[in-house]
Amino acid sequence: MSDLHIQTVSSYELGLKLDMNPAQIRKDLAYFGEFGRKGIGYDVSYLIEKIKQILKLDRFLKIGLVGAGHLGIAISNYNQYIKENFSIRAIFDTDPQKVGQKIGSAEVFHLDDLQREIEDKGIQMGIITVPAQEAQKVADRLIDAGIRAILNFAPVNLKVPPNVYLRNADLTTELQSLAYYL
Amino acid sequence: MSDLHIQTVSSYELGLKLDMNPAQIRKDLAYFGEFGRKGIGYDVSYLIEKIKQILKLDRFLKIGLVGAGHLGIAISNYNQYIKENFSIRAIFDTDPQKVGQKIGSAEVFHLDDLQREIEDKGIQMGIITVPAQEAQKVADRLIDAGIRAILNFAPVNLKVPPNVYLRNADLTTELQSLAYYL
DNA sequence: TAGATTGTTAATCGATTAACAATC
DNA sequence: TAGATTGTTAATCGATTAACAATC
């Protein structure tokens, strides 16, 4: 039974797995506090918890997605895989045909109800999958509704205030890096 | 007229724009050859051409996309924006309803015709937007057909030989980095 | 206790920046 | 020529690795 459950791991073992120098690993971990025990190593499950904390993966994020087009639908469905830490709680569109439908596990609301649903559902993050020319307007509305983190799929440079974190999911960048390695 | 057309730029000016040290810029550029002229600076249009060459953005890439689902359709349409350096030349799916249709500017072919179309059209790169459980099979077929660069959107770790460059477009990573900054 | 392994200080290495001869 | 600016060598800085006292 002795080695059926690995309880601890040394910086040396981690270094082998991660192809890193053990001293580097010890230094990195020590930066966030004293995790390990001298002569013993690091408690694996405690370490996992700590790393989750450090990477802020120990919380649950509620997402609002704007734009129930092909990309929006794809992401909403994809969402089901990654339920652990994130979930799309509401989808917004202006198309009356789409409003009221369910996509994945979330309902489609009219864009005009954005503020209300974000507040009601405690949504913290926005995903924008509308056409480029609509994206800035949508971003502004999300920000007005209190959203401080936005993932933008529209191929346009959005202007957001400095207290809002914006990330662009840019297909072009991905393609370029592939082109480079070709 | 003298300053209507800026012909050259100094490492100092570039440094201001890019928020980098001028020496760093000179060193980086000099690494790829002698671009600049002493006492003058860098010829702007020549520099742009050179950088495109360095980043391998001076060529045109033909793409084959497998999986005409929501995500595949979204990317095919999106594609119209970025025609400069890339274009999706063929889309593959097994759904007979979709075969023969046009999405964006590309035609949908049956997956069985993958090899033929890739050869006929000189396609160099593959994008995978099929469900996770199909992705490995599709990757294998692309590789068999001679593709050496794949952008994978399926949430699965594909196994590819070392001479194939694989890039995963992972929504989870994007969301996590947003979560971090929240 | 002896062996193992941490956290941290000291040594090494590499990357960034400054300085300068070459030259436009 | 004098001023400007490169490419590159030398100096500086920071990050990585090695070494080791502390201790389980």
Side-chain angles (χ1 to χ4, degrees), chain A residues 99-127:
Chain A
V99 171
Q101 285 197 328
K102 269 213 153 192
I103 299 174
S105 53
E107 193 181 336
V108 181
F109 298 93
H110 194 277
L111 188 61
D112 291 340
D113 298 329
L114 186 106
Q115 174 119 27
R116 188 194 68 207
E117 291 301 323
I118 282 176
E119 283 170 12
D120 278 10
K121 296 192 157 61
I123 286 169
Q124 302 136 296
M125 201 157 100
I127 298 181

CSV table of all heavy atoms in Angstrom, one decimal, chain A residues 99-127:
chain,number,residue,atom,x,y,z
A,99,VAL,N,-34.7,35.4,-29.1
A,99,VAL,CA,-35.0,35.8,-27.8
A,99,VAL,C,-36.0,34.7,-27.2
A,99,VAL,O,-37.0,34.4,-27.8
A,99,VAL,CB,-35.6,37.2,-27.6
A,99,VAL,CG1,-36.1,37.4,-26.2
A,99,VAL,CG2,-34.5,38.2,-28.0
A,100,GLY,N,-35.7,34.2,-26.0
A,100,GLY,CA,-36.5,33.2,-25.4
A,100,GLY,C,-36.1,31.8,-25.6
A,100,GLY,O,-36.4,30.9,-24.8
A,101,GLN,N,-35.2,31.6,-26.7
A,101,GLN,CA,-34.7,30.2,-26.9
A,101,GLN,C,-33.6,29.9,-25.9
A,101,GLN,O,-33.1,30.7,-25.2
A,101,GLN,CB,-34.1,30.2,-28.3
A,101,GLN,CG,-35.1,30.2,-29.5
A,101,GLN,CD,-34.4,29.7,-30.7
A,101,GLN,OE1,-33.2,30.0,-31.0
A,101,GLN,NE2,-35.2,29.0,-31.6
A,102,LYS,N,-33.3,28.6,-25.9
A,102,LYS,CA,-32.2,28.1,-25.0
A,102,LYS,C,-31.1,27.7,-25.9
A,102,LYS,O,-31.3,26.9,-26.9
A,102,LYS,CB,-32.6,27.0,-24.1
A,102,LYS,CG,-33.2,27.4,-22.8
A,102,LYS,CD,-32.9,26.4,-21.7
A,102,LYS,CE,-32.8,27.0,-20.3
A,102,LYS,NZ,-32.2,26.1,-19.3
A,103,ILE,N,-29.9,28.1,-25.6
A,103,ILE,CA,-28.7,27.7,-26.3
A,103,ILE,C,-27.7,27.1,-25.3
A,103,ILE,O,-27.3,27.8,-24.4
A,103,ILE,CB,-28.0,28.8,-27.1
A,103,ILE,CG1,-29.0,29.4,-28.1
A,103,ILE,CG2,-26.7,28.3,-27.8
A,103,ILE,CD1,-28.4,30.6,-28.8
A,104,GLY,N,-27.3,25.8,-25.5
A,104,GLY,CA,-26.6,25.2,-24.4
A,104,GLY,C,-27.5,25.2,-23.2
A,104,GLY,O,-28.7,24.8,-23.2
A,105,SER,N,-27.0,25.7,-22.1
A,105,SER,CA,-27.8,25.7,-20.8
A,105,SER,C,-28.3,27.1,-20.5
A,105,SER,O,-28.9,27.3,-19.4
A,105,SER,CB,-27.0,25.1,-19.7
A,105,SER,OG,-25.8,25.8,-19.6
A,106,ALA,N,-28.1,28.1,-21.4
A,106,ALA,CA,-28.5,29.5,-21.1
A,106,ALA,C,-29.6,30.0,-22.0
A,106,ALA,O,-29.7,29.5,-23.1
A,106,ALA,CB,-27.2,30.4,-21.2
A,107,GLU,N,-30.3,30.9,-21.4
A,107,GLU,CA,-31.4,31.5,-22.2
A,107,GLU,C,-31.0,32.7,-23.0
A,107,GLU,O,-30.1,33.4,-22.5
A,107,GLU,CB,-32.6,31.8,-21.2
A,107,GLU,CG,-33.9,32.2,-21.9
A,107,GLU,CD,-35.0,32.6,-20.9
A,107,GLU,OE1,-34.9,32.2,-19.7
A,107,GLU,OE2,-35.9,33.3,-21.3
A,108,VAL,N,-31.6,32.9,-24.1
A,108,VAL,CA,-31.3,34.1,-24.9
A,108,VAL,C,-32.3,35.3,-24.5
A,108,VAL,O,-33.5,35.1,-24.5
A,108,VAL,CB,-31.5,33.9,-26.4
A,108,VAL,CG1,-31.2,35.2,-27.2
A,108,VAL,CG2,-30.6,32.8,-26.8
A,109,PHE,N,-31.7,36.4,-24.1
A,109,PHE,CA,-32.5,37.6,-23.7
A,109,PHE,C,-32.3,38.7,-24.7
A,109,PHE,O,-31.3,38.6,-25.5
A,109,PHE,CB,-32.1,38.1,-22.3
A,109,PHE,CG,-32.3,37.1,-21.2
A,109,PHE,CD1,-31.3,36.2,-20.8
A,109,PHE,CD2,-33.5,37.1,-20.5
A,109,PHE,CE1,-31.5,35.3,-19.8
A,109,PHE,CE2,-33.7,36.2,-19.5
A,109,PHE,CZ,-32.7,35.3,-19.2
A,110,HIS,N,-33.2,39.6,-24.7
A,110,HIS,CA,-33.0,40.8,-25.6
A,110,HIS,C,-31.9,41.7,-25.1
A,110,HIS,O,-31.8,41.8,-23.9
A,110,HIS,CB,-34.3,41.6,-25.8
A,110,HIS,CG,-34.3,42.5,-26.9
A,110,HIS,ND1,-33.7,43.8,-26.9
A,110,HIS,CD2,-34.7,42.4,-28.2
A,110,HIS,CE1,-33.7,44.4,-28.0
A,110,HIS,NE2,-34.3,43.6,-28.9
A,111,LEU,N,-31.2,42.2,-26.0
A,111,LEU,CA,-30.1,43.1,-25.6
A,111,LEU,C,-30.5,44.2,-24.6
A,111,LEU,O,-29.8,44.6,-23.8
A,111,LEU,CB,-29.4,43.7,-26.8
A,111,LEU,CG,-28.1,44.5,-26.7
A,111,LEU,CD1,-27.0,43.6,-26.1
A,111,LEU,CD2,-27.7,45.1,-28.0
A,112,ASP,N,-31.8,44.6,-24.8
A,112,ASP,CA,-32.3,45.7,-23.9
A,112,ASP,C,-32.4,45.3,-22.5
A,112,ASP,O,-32.4,46.1,-21.6
A,112,ASP,CB,-33.6,46.2,-24.4
A,112,ASP,CG,-33.5,46.9,-25.8
A,112,ASP,OD1,-32.4,47.4,-26.1
A,112,ASP,OD2,-34.6,47.0,-26.4
A,113,ASP,N,-32.4,44.0,-22.2
A,113,ASP,CA,-32.5,43.5,-20.9
A,113,ASP,C,-31.1,43.1,-20.3
A,113,ASP,O,-31.0,42.5,-19.2
A,113,ASP,CB,-33.4,42.2,-20.8
A,113,ASP,CG,-34.8,42.6,-21.3
A,113,ASP,OD1,-35.2,43.7,-21.0
A,113,ASP,OD2,-35.5,41.7,-21.8
A,114,LEU,N,-30.1,43.6,-20.9
A,114,LEU,CA,-28.7,43.3,-20.5
A,114,LEU,C,-28.4,43.7,-19.1
A,114,LEU,O,-28.1,42.8,-18.3
A,114,LEU,CB,-27.7,44.0,-21.5
A,114,LEU,CG,-26.3,43.6,-21.3
A,114,LEU,CD1,-25.8,42.7,-22.4
A,114,LEU,CD2,-25.4,44.9,-21.3
A,115,GLN,N,-28.6,44.9,-18.8
A,115,GLN,CA,-28.4,45.4,-17.5
A,115,GLN,C,-29.1,44.6,-16.4
A,115,GLN,O,-28.5,44.2,-15.4
A,115,GLN,CB,-28.7,46.9,-17.4
A,115,GLN,CG,-28.6,47.5,-16.0
A,115,GLN,CD,-27.6,48.7,-15.9
A,115,GLN,OE1,-27.4,49.4,-16.9
A,115,GLN,NE2,-27.0,48.9,-14.8
A,116,ARG,N,-30.4,44.5,-16.6
A,116,ARG,CA,-31.2,43.8,-15.6
A,116,ARG,C,-30.7,42.3,-15.4
A,116,ARG,O,-30.5,41.9,-14.2
A,116,ARG,CB,-32.7,43.7,-16.1
A,116,ARG,CG,-33.7,43.1,-15.1
A,116,ARG,CD,-35.0,42.8,-15.8
A,116,ARG,NE,-34.9,41.6,-16.7
A,116,ARG,CZ,-35.6,41.4,-17.7
A,116,ARG,NH1,-36.6,42.3,-18.1
A,116,ARG,NH2,-35.4,40.3,-18.5
A,117,GLU,N,-30.5,41.6,-16.4
A,117,GLU,CA,-30.1,40.2,-16.3
A,117,GLU,C,-28.7,40.1,-15.7
A,117,GLU,O,-28.4,39.2,-14.9
A,117,GLU,CB,-30.1,39.5,-17.7
A,117,GLU,CG,-31.5,39.3,-18.2
A,117,GLU,CD,-32.4,38.4,-17.3
A,117,GLU,OE1,-31.9,37.5,-16.7
A,117,GLU,OE2,-33.6,38.8,-17.2
A,118,ILE,N,-27.8,41.0,-16.0
A,118,ILE,CA,-26.4,41.0,-15.5
A,118,ILE,C,-26.5,41.2,-13.9
A,118,ILE,O,-25.8,40.5,-13.2
A,118,ILE,CB,-25.5,42.0,-16.1
A,118,ILE,CG1,-25.1,41.5,-17.5
A,118,ILE,CG2,-24.3,42.4,-15.3
A,118,ILE,CD1,-24.3,42.5,-18.3
A,119,GLU,N,-27.4,42.1,-13.5
A,119,GLU,CA,-27.5,42.4,-12.1
A,119,GLU,C,-28.2,41.2,-11.4
A,119,GLU,O,-27.7,40.7,-10.4
A,119,GLU,CB,-28.3,43.7,-11.9
A,119,GLU,CG,-27.4,44.9,-12.1
A,119,GLU,CD,-28.2,46.2,-12.1
A,119,GLU,OE1,-29.4,46.2,-11.8
A,119,GLU,OE2,-27.6,47.2,-12.5
A,120,ASP,N,-29.3,40.7,-12.0
A,120,ASP,CA,-30.1,39.6,-11.4
A,120,ASP,C,-29.2,38.4,-11.2
A,120,ASP,O,-29.3,37.7,-10.2
A,120,ASP,CB,-31.3,39.3,-12.3
A,120,ASP,CG,-32.5,40.2,-12.1
A,120,ASP,OD1,-32.3,41.2,-11.4
A,120,ASP,OD2,-33.5,39.9,-12.6
A,121,LYS,N,-28.5,38.1,-12.2
A,121,LYS,CA,-27.8,36.8,-12.2
A,121,LYS,C,-26.3,36.9,-11.7
A,121,LYS,O,-25.6,35.9,-11.6
A,121,LYS,CB,-27.7,36.2,-13.7
A,121,LYS,CG,-29.1,35.9,-14.3
A,121,LYS,CD,-29.0,35.1,-15.5
A,121,LYS,CE,-30.2,34.3,-15.8
A,121,LYS,NZ,-31.4,35.1,-16.0
A,122,GLY,N,-25.9,38.1,-11.3
A,122,GLY,CA,-24.6,38.3,-10.8
A,122,GLY,C,-23.5,38.0,-11.8
A,122,GLY,O,-22.5,37.4,-11.5
A,123,ILE,N,-23.7,38.3,-13.0
A,123,ILE,CA,-22.7,38.1,-14.1
A,123,ILE,C,-21.5,39.0,-14.0
A,123,ILE,O,-21.7,40.2,-13.8
A,123,ILE,CB,-23.4,38.2,-15.5
A,123,ILE,CG1,-24.3,37.0,-15.7
A,123,ILE,CG2,-22.4,38.3,-16.6
A,123,ILE,CD1,-25.2,37.1,-16.9
A,124,GLN,N,-20.3,38.4,-14.1
A,124,GLN,CA,-19.1,39.2,-13.8
A,124,GLN,C,-18.3,39.4,-15.1
A,124,GLN,O,-17.4,40.2,-15.1
A,124,GLN,CB,-18.2,38.4,-12.8
A,124,GLN,CG,-18.9,38.2,-11.5
A,124,GLN,CD,-18.7,36.7,-11.0
A,124,GLN,OE1,-19.1,35.8,-11.7
A,124,GLN,NE2,-18.0,36.6,-9.9
A,125,MET,N,-18.6,38.7,-16.2
A,125,MET,CA,-17.7,38.7,-17.3
A,125,MET,C,-18.5,38.7,-18.6
A,125,MET,O,-19.6,38.0,-18.7
A,125,MET,CB,-16.8,37.5,-17.3
A,125,MET,CG,-15.6,37.6,-18.0
A,125,MET,SD,-14.4,36.4,-17.4
A,125,MET,CE,-14.5,35.2,-18.6
A,126,GLY,N,-18.0,39.4,-19.6
A,126,GLY,CA,-18.8,39.5,-20.9
A,126,GLY,C,-18.0,38.9,-22.0
A,126,GLY,O,-16.7,39.0,-22.1
A,127,ILE,N,-18.7,38.2,-22.9
A,127,ILE,CA,-18.0,37.7,-24.2
A,127,ILE,C,-18.8,38.3,-25.3
A,127,ILE,O,-20.0,38.3,-25.4
A,127,ILE,CB,-18.1,36.2,-24.3
A,127,ILE,CG1,-17.3,35.5,-23.2
A,127,ILE,CG2,-17.5,35.7,-25.6
A,127,ILE,CD1,-17.3,34.0,-23.2
